[in-house]
Amino acid sequence: MCGIVGYTGGKSAISLVVAGLRRLEYRGYDSAGVALTDGQGAPLLVEKRAGKLANLEAALTSTFSQSTSGIGHTRWATHGGPTDSNAHPHLSGDGKLAVIHNGIIENYIELKEELLKKGHKFYSETDTESVAHLLSDAVADSGGDLATAMRNVCKKLKGSFTLLAVHSDNPEIIVGARRNSPLVVGVGDGENFLASDVSAFISSTKRALELGQDEVVVVTPNSILVVDLEGNVLTPKEYEITWDAAAAERGGFAHFMLKEIFEQPKAISDTLLGRIDETGVVRLPELDLLNLDVERILILACGTAYHAGLIGKYAIETWSQIACDVELASEFRYRRPVLSPKTLVITISQSGETMDTLMALRYAKSLGAKALSICNTHGSTIPRESDAVIYTHGGPEIAVASTKALLTQIIALHLFALHLSVKKLSPSDLEKIGNELLALPSKVEQVLETIEALREMTRGFKDATSVLFLGRHVGFPSALEGALKLKELAYMHAEGFAGGELKHGPIALIEEGTPVIAIMPPVGSEIREKMASNIQEVKARGARIILVADTSIDIASADHVIRVPETHELLQPIISIVPLQVFAYEMALLRGNDVDQPRNLAKSVTVE
Ligand code: M6R
């Protein structure tokens, strides 16, 4: 939901700002813009364009390359369509101040009415433009001090925001502020950066500072000052970014999504590393911070992360015998939920910034729950506000469609479930599960070796109008995930169903030739025969069956079989979801869609 970059230092700002925006384009890509300062008192250099970053780059002239300080924005539209005039930055009436924004200013209508009465003119339909005018008035009131102006304006704003502002009278200074939206500082040598996430400046520095809620930061090439809204000086926590710039590049792959699909074996290994051994004994010292006297677990998450929760629930309940519910974070707080003091809330989020999940976490905490987060992004808001965090070690996930983040989230849930269950499972069960977990990276590699066959198979379904996914037990949330991937990438109608639910309505959707992707439980599973019957039911009504099945199963009725390695039933989604990801990826390519930046979406959803 909008990417934000600021640079101040000795180098050409435009190249660093645009390079940062390219890395952040996954956050939103319907328009982009920059504002650069150009020496004491000289007017700001501003350019903004609807469409992808390439449109902005094409519009930049050589005059932009002189400046050494500036801000840039890539937008995911909320208020006002994706036009040149709605693109950020937005300017004050005198053109001396520019502001960029990620989030939503909820009280912008009343602010705008007041500003109109004062004589300010508006040129966009955005909520952000009000902030530009408010800041310019506040700068005048504070004798030209942009930082004080920012503090005072933030006090008037309701909603969520990361804001960056520059003023032509102080060309080396960038002032930022955040509430409920992300902002990190990149600490350089004679240069400093501000950005929505560290990937924007990873090529220049690995040192980053976390900013907290309602904090204002003032950066110059040689200084960083963080204050609260009252002006009290704060000491932000510095951390080192553990991955390198290459991790945020495509590295020879056609798309980030494909690269990330192929990174899954390593992402799983890295997430398991040092946390489990062959005897199944789990080491998660992170959990020492929690008093795990838990009677009930409630998992809150959105989208693919929600599916991870649905999958993890099976292992948690089966192994630990502790009740576990999973709920969409966006629905949670609006139904007045009841939480006992012995409820542990687990939020799952790749970005750690998803607003629905963050708000659900805050609500759960306000009801007295203890909170654990499973997160892939160091220092992001959700883990910061949780009592404990299990970080997944997936590395940066750039493609909008989540792949390696999902598999590592499921792994983290399995580790957590084993940690809870150490006294409930026999040593031989623990050992069996431990060994199966450790074998997953190579099993996922085996699935990826079949990519050519998957590609070929997908071609046969290019003209389908609808694809149904069928599963039971852990295969059901896997089916939901397969359908979500196909919707978001191929823009096709796709739905996931529990096999047993078919006869309660969805079977009416089946007609001659309808593709049904069915996930077969392994031999020995108590629902294997029932799933086989469900497959027969759709086959009898003309469905074309694609079966995801392990090598133990002898299959006659399928039109296509995707063979995957055998594993423990509760771990099966780690393996069976991979071909579904590839299917959606290939289908999107066949349909000419932008795989990494699907329409209407953004990677990090920082609005409710
Ligand atoms: O960053 P999060 O894990 O909190 O994101 C949650 C969802 O927005 C995300 O998983 C989304 O559903 C993916 N684009 C799906 O591929």
Side-chain angles (χ1 to χ4, degrees), residues 187-485:
V187 185
D189 188 8
E191 60 183 3
N192 287 308
F193 299 79
L194 294 168
S196 303
D197 83 44
V198 298
S199 62
F201 51 72
I202 183 75
S203 303
S204 301
T205 178
K206 290 195 163 192
R207 293 173 61 201
L209 297 181
E210 291 180 12
L211 288 185
Q213 217 25 14
D214 277 338
E215 291 181 6
V216 170
V217 58
V218 186
V219 294
T220 69
N222 294 304
S223 67
I224 298 165
L225 176 70
V226 180
V227 294
D228 63 19
L229 293 191
E230 302 312 319
N232 301 306
V233 175
L234 305 170
T235 310
K237 200 164 130 205
E238 182 172 325
Y239 63 97
E240 197 184 327
I241 305 157
T242 50
W243 43 273
D244 60 18
E249 303 289 349
R250 284 211 309 268
F253 284 88
H255 299 96
F256 278 111
M257 183 183 176
L258 190 61
K259 177 180 174 243
E260 288 158 11
I261 287 174
F262 274 86
E263 283 173 343
Q264 292 184 115
K266 182 169 186 310
I268 296 169
S269 298
D270 289 350
T271 302
L272 289 170
L273 190 70
R275 288 171 163 170
I276 190 164
D277 62 22
E278 302 74 28
T279 64
V281 171
V282 167
R283 273 178 294 276
L284 284 174
E286 305 86 321
L287 299 181
D288 295 349
L289 294 167
L290 288 173
N291 167 17
L292 277 179
D293 182 13
V294 179
E295 271 176 2
R296 179 183 168 225
I297 292 165
L298 175 62
I299 298 178
L300 300 169
C302 300
T304 288
Y306 169 69
H307 296 157
L310 291 175
I311 291 165
K313 168 188 164 80
Y314 288 84
I316 291 172
E317 290 194 332
T318 307
W319 294 338
S320 76
Q321 297 294 298
I322 296 174
C324 176
D325 297 306
V326 188
E327 193 163 340
L328 288 167
S330 53
E331 287 295 313
F332 171 67
R333 68 186 176 127
Y334 299 106
R335 66 170 177 83
R336 303 290 172 258
V338 179
L339 299 185
S340 81
K342 290 195 174 179
T343 303
L344 174 70
V345 164
I346 305 180
T347 56
I348 307 174
S349 176
Q350 188 287 130
S351 61
E353 300 293 347
T354 299
M355 186 60 71
D356 289 315
T357 310
L358 175 61
M359 290 303 168
L361 164 67
R362 286 189 184 156
Y363 190 70
K365 288 200 77 179
S366 76
L367 298 179
K370 277 260 181 299
L372 167 69
S373 73
I374 292 176
C375 186
N376 195 42
T377 308
H378 187 103
S380 54
T381 310
I382 290 172
R384 279 167 59 89
E385 297 196 13
S386 301
D387 299 300
V389 51
I390 301 175
Y391 279 110
T392 51
H393 298 305
E397 190 181 69
I398 311 285
V400 165
S402 188
T403 53
K404 61 178 178 171
L406 168 70
L407 296 201
T408 56
Q409 287 160 354
I410 302 170
I411 292 288
L413 286 162
H414 286 145
L415 290 172
F416 172 75
L418 282 178
H419 176 92
L420 279 186
S421 316
V422 72
K423 295 206 177 94
K424 294 183 179 150
L425 291 170
S426 68
S428 70
D429 278 345
L430 277 173
E431 190 178 327
K432 194 170 156 219
I433 298 164
N435 278 313
E436 279 301 333
L437 277 167
L438 291 167
L440 284 173
S442 71
K443 292 187 178 181
V444 171
E445 254 162 35
Q446 286 175 46
V447 178
L448 292 172
E449 280 162 15
T450 67
I451 191 159
E452 274 311 322
L454 290 169
R455 210 165 256 161
E456 182 58 37
M457 186 205 75
T458 310
R459 275 187 211 120
F461 294 91
K462 177 175 177 276
D463 299 319
T465 49
S466 169
V467 179
L468 306 184
F469 293 76
L470 216 57
R472 277 179 172 258
H473 191 257
V474 287
F476 170 44
S478 308
L480 295 177
E481 173 61 11
L484 174 61
K485 282 288 152 300

Side-chain angles (χ1 to χ4, degrees), residues 90-93 97 99 105 107-116 118 120-122 127-142 145-146 148-158 161 163 165 167:
H90 293 283
L91 301 181
S92 56
L97 179 143
V99 68
I105 307 296
N107 57 337
Y108 81 100
I109 292 179
E110 58 195 79
L111 294 171
K112 186 172 176 177
E113 277 164 10
E114 284 168 26
L115 289 159
L116 284 168
K118 282 184 167 178
H120 287 283
K121 290 202 167 51
F122 282 75
D127 50 337
T128 309
E129 196 177 356
S130 296
V131 180
H133 298 309
L134 282 173
L135 267 175
S136 123
D137 285 358
V139 166
D141 293 345
S142 62
D145 181 352
L146 186 55
T148 302
M150 182 66 93
R151 289 195 290 108
N152 291 336
V153 167
C154 287
K155 288 180 193 165
K156 293 183 183 164
L157 302 179
K158 290 189 183 143
F161 50 82
L163 295 165
H167 197 289

